[in-house]
Amino acid sequence: MPNLQLLFFSARMLRRDARGGELRLLAAALAVAVAALTAVGFFADRVRQALDRESHQLLGADLLLTADHPWPAELAADARARGLQVVETRTFPSMVTRAAGDDLRAQLAEIKAVETGYPLRGTLRTAPALNVADAPARGVPAAGTIWIDERLASALAARVGDPVVVGRASLRVAAVLTLEPDRGINFFSVAPRLLMNLDDLPATDLLQVGSRVGYRLLLAGDQQVVQRFQREIEPRLARGERIEDPQNGRPEIRVALERAQKFLGLSALLTVVLAAVAVALAARRYVQRHLDPCAVMRCLGATQGLLLRLYLGQFAVLGVLAAALGCGLGYLAHFALYAWLAQLLATPLPSPGLLPAVQGVVVGLVLLFGFAVPPLLQLKKVSTLRVLRRELGSPRSALLGGYVVGFLALAGLMFWVAGEVELGTWVVGGFSVALLVFAGIARLAVRLAAAARGGGRSGNGGQAGIGWRYGLASLERRASASVVQIVALSLGLMALLLLTAIRGDLLDAWRRAVPPEAPNRFVINIQPEQVAPVRAALTAQGLSPELAPMVRGRLTRINGVEVSAASYSDDRAQRLIDREFNLSMRAGLPEGNRLSAGRWFSSADLAGDGDDGAASVEDGLAKTLGLGVGDRIEFVVAGEAIRLRVVGLRKVNWDTMRANFFVLTPPVVLDGYPASWITSFYLAPEEADFVNRLIGEFPNLTVIDVAAILRQLQSIMDQVARAVQFIFLFTLAAGVIVLYAALASAAEERRYELAVMRALGARREQLRRALLAEFAAIGALSGLIASLGAIAVGQFLARQVFRFEVAIDPWLPPAAILCGALLVTGAGWFAAARLLQAAPLEALRGGSA
């Protein structure tokens, strides 16, 4: 048969089977899986395009040099001599206030001081007032003026023209800042923004010892000159200095968004797993129903190869159409992700490209042919004798080997979505173990449920008793199909429980882990001469906090070997080595700390005897950096090397919200080095105006409202969680499709059984109760397994990831059992109710096939 004629005949078969409803489950499963993946794919593509197309704007320049110390003036002069534009900015957190007296308002702000010419790429946008249309800004704030964003304007109740106190300077609000091209992402900019002129910075007197300031040089110009300049200075970079270009710029944005996209992608992958099961079940049912037509075509001269090509062509057309439908649904669904997550990226997102749609079609075809071809191989082997002898049944086929190919294809998709070998291995292994454990539990539960039906043999023998005994017996009689149904529904329900009930339990436990009156305010940047008056102010308020000194130092050597970020492969270790540590000094073990190894400081340590000073290191930091008791570490403080010997490791209870430190030394070790001081205390809501008075008296202090920051971070977490829950709606739909497919795959056998029962005198009401009992048992077992799995995962996350205890909700299993029973009963009854309407004689003549 020519290829064109073969394709035409396959299309006619597809149209006929579509009208008969033969392929609806296959199409639905494929469409849901493709929709879930492409919804994530379209959103990820828009983010990728935004980062790629506007990479220069996200930097505000062609090249960005960042450091935790001022850049040498010679570097900027060299860049200008090459014809490059150069602009300097400085960024740091500080308190700002408006008004005075009883109307005084204070707010922690992220201050950026910029030179004229900023930004070199992209555009600032401002508005003349809140909730007014914005427009491109001209230049930067003039000397004596500032621009504040909407959040800061609301927090201070400040309008254009109002004076705002920044440190020791009073600056006038000239505009509301609406867009800052290099602002980045809200994950890392939890404080509102204040933009000021760099010339006004000295008057504020805010840059003191211990201030955390980011120094940036923005460069722009001819691409070749920029690249040459970058190549020349990269080998000369010192500790705490790095270069960002459009390819690696704003790594925190890329990393955070990539992680969010991976999380969403892995969530969507659960839908793909369930869809694969549904495709396999639906294909098996399709093959069973097409054995007779294939036998007839074999009698009319069709070869095995022709039959296989016909059905493969039909499935290819089906796969393309279902994938196209899924891509359309995914495109519409991605707008929900856009509504929740696009606000995390402070730049407009362009329209998505066609690549996610192409990927969706590929995924759909991989699923279809990976899990539908093995059953299709049975069709070409059907015997011509089946036309006369239907009891021959289905031809035997090596289905296990075929499904191994499908599983390998699915594993490949998991690695692809995970994006890395290690994560992909964990995902594939986790899914495999979960499937095996759930299948084992489901098989045991089915056997126990079937055995339990014997307990109801005595009694009145009414319809209810016969119905539920027959329903439970059906679970064991179709054990394989029952296990598949229970496992699929358990996975979907577990995912939803993790993102609803368990997520809420984790957040509640996290809140309970913090003592009710744990410090909710941190005060930093306290200068040595301010320690006594600040302590007096706190005491007058009825507070008795402890003020701790902080000395900034950079870790340079461990056991005599120089260390840098390149010395470690772990991301956290690299970040720690590349930054300055806050060292502190104590004579006694702080509250909330306990020794995990070694000892606390001895009298000799406190007296400063010995060549090296003593150090106590936080246990987690020691594990990250590979430190142990007896190791020698060297810090550079104010240009001078300080050698320390690790005498002990400490477990720190960070939930106390006190001022804790990674590294502690005896007072004698750090005495005389430049230090600032920090304190923390609990402030009741009705006493919040004390912060305003404190900042009014000491303008250089920075007060961090931990509760407000945690609320904002929780809001961001909720946005991501809602997006993931939205993706899991596809998972739930896939789970329902699996259930329907599993029930439909046994429809012929069930139809025959019901006909025999009715022929033997069973009433429809009895059979209806039997079906409802079977469906309710499947749903209840699925809910039970899902709740136990969700509790286990939640406990693992609480103990191993979040490091706190979470109580087990005793109501979760009963609620999950009830919801699962109702859900499965409804879906199953919809799939099987019409079987009761079939005439017994017609079903018996058709046989059980």
Side-chain angles (χ1 to χ4, degrees):
M1 182 179 292
N3 291 335
L4 184 61
Q5 187 177 0
L6 182 70
L7 183 62
F8 177 73
F9 190 60
S10 296
R12 289 183 59 188
M13 291 174 57
L14 177 63
R15 186 168 61 250
R16 181 199 63 198
D17 290 340
R19 286 199 301 266
E22 300 285 344
L23 298 173
R24 290 175 185 170
L25 285 178
L26 272 173
L30 289 175
V32 168
V34 173
L37 276 179
T38 53
V40 178
F42 280 122
F43 177 74
D45 187 64
R46 296 182 72 170
V47 172
R48 179 190 59 78
Q49 290 187 64
L51 293 175
D52 291 342
R53 293 181 183 180
E54 303 183 25
S55 55
H56 293 269
Q57 295 189 34
L58 290 173
L59 293 176
D62 296 333
L63 195 65
L64 179 62
L65 280 63
T66 65
D68 56 9
H69 54 267
W71 289 94
E74 297 80 10
L75 188 66
D78 182 20
R80 292 189 178 95
R82 297 169 185 253
L84 298 178
Q85 297 175 276
V86 181
V87 168
E88 180 184 359
T89 70
R90 297 183 186 181
T91 306
F92 56 93
S94 182
M95 301 296 293
V96 296
T97 60
R98 187 192 68 82
D102 294 337
D103 295 330
L104 181 68
R105 295 199 178 199
Q107 173 65 39
L108 176 65
E110 187 178 8
I111 298 176
K112 178 185 282 188
V114 300
E115 284 185 324
T116 301
Y118 167 85
L120 297 178
R121 294 288 184 262
T123 305
L124 293 167
R125 296 182 68 89
T126 60
L130 279 174
N131 304 317
V132 176
D134 63 353
R138 296 182 179 179
V140 298
T145 67
I146 55 174
W147 296 346
I148 59 177
D149 68 5
E150 294 98 328
R151 286 191 296 158
L152 187 55
S154 299
L156 297 178
R159 296 177 296 181
V160 172
D162 288 346
V164 171
V165 177
V166 183
R168 299 190 182 279
S170 179
L171 305 174
R172 181 177 58 83
V173 177
V176 175
L177 181 64
T178 59
L179 178 63
E180 194 180 349
D182 62 335
R183 174 65 183 273
I185 194 167
N186 286 342
F187 287 143
F188 306 96
S189 302
V190 295
R193 175 74 89 195
L194 183 150
L195 197 68
M196 63 181 295
N197 196 298
L198 189 62
D199 293 338
D200 290 328
L201 189 56
T204 65
D205 199 25
L206 287 176
L207 300 191
Q208 304 283 345
V209 173
S211 299
R212 289 191 174 272
V213 184
Y215 297 85
R216 296 184 177 182
L217 287 180
L218 288 72
L219 295 86
D222 181 78
Q223 182 178 3
Q224 293 183 351
V225 177
V226 171
Q227 293 176 348
R228 188 182 308 114
F229 181 77
Q230 180 178 357
R231 288 194 300 268
E232 292 180 7
I233 66 172
E234 275 182 338
R236 308 201 308 261
L237 291 178
R239 294 286 298 271
E241 300 175 353
R242 70 178 188 272
I243 294 179
E244 298 178 11
D245 58 23
Q247 282 68 46
N248 64 14
R250 304 315 300 267
E252 73 276 11
I253 300 177
R254 295 181 183 272
V255 170
L257 288 173
E258 284 175 1
R259 287 176 179 172
Q261 291 162 15
K262 281 183 182 179
F263 191 28
L264 291 171
L266 293 175
S267 304
L269 198 55
L270 181 57
T271 305
V272 177
V273 173
L274 296 180
V277 177
V279 168
L281 292 174
R284 178 174 175 271
R285 176 175 181 260
Y286 179 85
V287 168
Q288 290 175 341
R289 294 171 66 91
H290 281 73
L291 292 174
D292 290 341
C294 283
V296 172
M297 285 191 285
R298 288 293 308 279
C299 291
L300 296 177
T303 64
Q304 290 186 359
L306 176 62
L307 286 177
L308 185 60
R309 290 196 301 274
L310 279 174
Y311 283 102
L312 286 178
Q314 179 184 6
F315 273 46
V317 176
L318 171 68
V320 171
L321 294 178
L325 174 61
C327 289
L329 294 175
Y331 179 77
L332 296 176
H334 99 278
F335 285 106
L337 299 179
Y338 177 85
W340 282 315
L341 301 179
Q343 57 186 303
L344 302 181
L345 186 66
T347 186
L349 299 184
S351 299
L354 293 177
L355 181 60
V358 175
Q359 293 172 336
V361 173
V362 171
V363 169
L365 294 179
V366 168
L367 276 182
L368 182 62
F369 287 100
F371 291 90
V373 168
L376 279 181
L377 295 177
Q378 293 179 280
L379 288 179
K380 73 171 188 176
K381 298 180 181 180
V382 67
S383 173
T384 55
L385 292 178
R386 183 178 168 87
V387 175
L388 300 176
R389 300 177 60 189
R390 301 188 71 252
E391 68 274 11
L392 289 176
S394 304
R396 299 182 64 181
S397 176
L399 287 180
L400 182 60
Y403 284 135
V404 167
V405 175
F407 178 78
L408 292 178
L410 184 61
L413 289 178
M414 292 182 181
F415 276 101
W416 175 44
V417 173
E420 56 187 69
V421 175
E422 183 178 1
L423 179 59
T425 302
W426 278 104
V427 171
V428 173
F431 271 123
S432 302
V433 171
L435 287 174
L436 291 176
V437 172
F438 280 17
I441 296 176
R443 184 67 187 92
L444 178 62
V446 167
R447 181 165 297 179
L448 292 176
R453 76 184 191 277
R457 296 184 186 277
S458 61
N460 57 14
Q463 293 182 1
I466 296 175
W468 76 261
R469 287 203 303 270
Y470 179 77
L472 295 181
S474 297
L475 291 178
E476 177 66 22
R477 191 164 51 251
R478 285 181 291 273
S480 298
S482 299
V483 169
V484 169
Q485 298 167 33
I486 293 172
V487 169
L489 264 294
S490 297
L491 286 173
L493 290 173
M494 185 185 74
L496 289 175
L497 289 175
L498 282 172
L499 289 170
T500 52
I502 298 299
R503 169 178 157 269
D505 290 342
L506 287 174
L507 290 176
D508 291 341
W510 178 42
R511 297 187 186 100
R512 290 194 301 269
V514 179
E517 294 192 358
N520 57 4
R521 301 292 196 281
F522 281 80
V523 183
I524 61 176
N525 291 340
I526 304 173
Q527 298 306 301
E529 66 274 10
Q530 295 176 321
V531 171
V534 168
R535 180 180 284 116
L538 297 175
T539 303
Q541 183 65 23
L543 305 171
S544 56
E546 179 185 16
L547 278 72
M550 292 194 309
V551 176
R552 302 287 292 277
R554 187 179 297 280
L555 181 62
T556 57
R557 292 178 180 272
I558 297 178
N559 293 325
V561 179
E562 187 172 352
V563 293
S564 65
S567 305
Y568 296 89
S569 58
D570 180 69
D571 290 341
R572 182 170 182 264
Q574 291 176 350
R575 290 193 302 270
L576 288 169
I577 288 292
D578 203 38
R579 76 174 195 182
E580 288 188 317
F581 283 81
N582 285 324
L583 314 177
S584 190
M585 37 194 167
R586 292 289 300 260
L589 185 67
E591 183 179 349
N593 290 230
R594 63 179 178 84
L595 290 176
S596 59
R599 59 176 177 81
W600 185 243
F601 304 139
S602 65
S603 56
D605 297 329
L606 295 175
D609 297 339
D611 295 333
D612 297 335
S616 175
V617 180
E618 191 267 338
D619 187 83
L621 176 70
K623 291 179 180 178
T624 301
L625 300 183
L627 298 175
V629 176
D631 285 343
R632 260 67 176 179
I633 55 179
E634 183 175 310
F635 287 90
V636 172
V637 177
E640 182 178 336
I642 298 180
R643 287 178 291 274
L644 304 173
R645 183 182 73 262
V646 179
V647 299
L649 305 180
R650 291 170 292 115
K651 283 279 189 182
V652 177
N653 182 10
W654 299 100
D655 291 334
T656 61
M657 302 300 289
R658 295 177 178 274
N660 288 302
F661 298 90
F662 286 130
V663 179
L664 292 174
T665 71
V668 67
V669 175
L670 297 176
D671 189 28
Y673 287 94
S676 63
W677 295 68
I678 182 175
T679 187
S680 62
F681 53 85
Y682 173 77
L683 196 64
E686 62 271 13
E687 300 175 340
D689 62 328
F690 170 70
V691 172
N692 299 328
R693 299 196 304 271
L694 185 65
I695 296 302
E697 186 176 355
F698 306 99
N700 65 292
L701 300 187
T702 297
V703 180
I704 302 174
D705 184 349
V706 181
I709 293 177
L710 291 180
R711 283 195 300 270
Q712 184 163 359
L713 290 175
Q714 183 180 339
S715 174
I716 294 174
M717 290 169 54
D718 288 341
Q719 292 172 358
V720 177
R722 283 196 297 269
V724 176
Q725 284 174 311
F726 175 74
I727 293 298
F728 270 111
L729 291 178
F730 292 102
T731 304
L732 181 61
V736 173
I737 292 174
V738 168
L739 171 67
Y740 191 87
L743 294 174
S745 65
E748 295 300 322
E749 179 184 358
R750 195 187 302 273
R751 179 176 64 86
Y752 185 77
E753 290 178 359
L754 293 176
V756 172
M757 295 291 291
R758 290 189 61 190
L760 295 177
R763 292 187 293 273
R764 286 185 177 178
E765 182 62 26
Q766 291 175 319
L767 298 180
R768 182 179 295 110
R769 291 179 182 273
L771 287 176
L772 292 177
E774 181 180 355
F775 298 149
I778 291 174
L781 290 175
S782 300
L784 175 62
I785 295 174
S787 62
L788 295 178
I791 290 174
V793 174
Q795 288 290 324
F796 175 82
L797 292 175
R799 296 174 183 270
Q800 302 299 323
V801 179
F802 299 111
R803 308 289 182 185
F804 57 70
E805 299 290 332
V806 58
I808 296 177
D809 186 357
W811 291 102
L812 185 61
I817 290 172
L818 179 60
C819 292
L822 293 176
L823 173 67
V824 176
T825 300
W829 181 251
F830 177 77
R834 64 177 180 274
L835 297 179
L836 292 174
Q837 307 302 323
L841 183 59
E842 178 184 349
L844 292 173
R845 285 176 175 174
S848 61

